[in-house]
Amino acid sequence: MADLFRLQIITPDRKFYQGDVQMVELTTTEGQVGIYARHIPLTAVVAPGMLKIHEEGQVKEAALMAGFIQVMPDAVTIMAEVVEWPEEIDENRAKEAKVRAERRLQAGGAELDVGRAELALKRALVRLEARH
C-alpha cells in the first residue's frame, strides 16, 4: 500500500474534493508538479491546467483554472477560483469561448489585453481537454 496524504480542494462556493490520495498532479505558474506524501512544504500559484487526483486504483481528472496550493508533508490544500469535473463543463460554451479568444488574438489592436485573451484561450482549451 502506497503512502497516502489528505487532499482538500476548496472553491469560493463549495468543497470540491476531500480525501486520502497517493498523488496529485497540477500546473503551477512555475510548471507541472506532482506531489506525493511527505513532500517538502511548498506554496505555489495555480495556473490553468488539468488536475489529476491519484486515488488507490483510479485517477480522477478535473479542469483547474486558478488559485493557490499549500503543501505540507501530510496534507495538501488547493484553494481554487474555479475547478470543474468533466461532466460539469458545457462543451459548446467552451468551444465558443475558444473561438472568441482566438478571434481577439488574431484581430489584435491597441486596446487588446493580450494576457487576458491568452488566459481566456488557455481556460477554454483546458475545459475542452477535460471533456475528452
Side-chain angles (χ1 to χ4, degrees):
M1 183 165 130
D3 287 343
L4 302 177
F5 63 91
R6 181 58 122 187
L7 174 64
Q8 181 171 267
I9 303 170
I10 303 166
T11 70
D13 59 342
R14 67 179 169 159
K15 192 174 282 189
F16 180 80
Y17 181 90
Q18 185 170 314
D20 293 327
V21 302
Q22 293 176 324
M23 178 183 178
V24 63
E25 297 176 79
L26 65 144
T27 305
T28 70
T29 55
E30 301 299 315
Q32 292 286 115
V33 295
I35 298 163
Y36 289 95
R38 295 191 300 276
H39 194 285
I40 62 168
L42 167 76
T43 301
V45 177
V46 172
M50 291 301 298
L51 170 70
K52 294 181 182 180
I53 302 168
H54 296 256
E55 297 178 331
E56 290 187 296
Q58 70 174 336
V59 178
K60 293 182 176 180
E61 293 186 344
L64 177 59
M65 297 303 157
F68 297 92
I69 181 170
Q70 179 186 38
V71 179
M72 299 304 286
D74 61 346
V76 172
T77 302
I78 300 172
M79 292 156 283
E81 288 179 25
V82 176
V83 60
E84 301 163 309
W85 296 115
E87 61 272 11
E88 296 173 333
I89 296 169
D90 182 333
E91 189 169 359
N92 289 329
R93 186 173 171 210
K95 286 178 182 177
E96 290 168 5
K98 176 182 176 279
V99 169
R100 276 193 313 274
E102 288 172 337
R103 283 186 187 147
R104 267 189 238 122
L105 287 167
Q106 288 172 354
E111 313 87 45
L112 177 67
D113 182 341
V114 175
R116 185 174 174 202
E118 287 174 343
L119 184 58
L121 178 59
K122 178 65 177 168
R123 287 178 177 203
L125 292 172
V126 168
R127 283 185 170 109
L128 291 171
E129 180 183 350
R131 289 288 298 171
H132 294 104

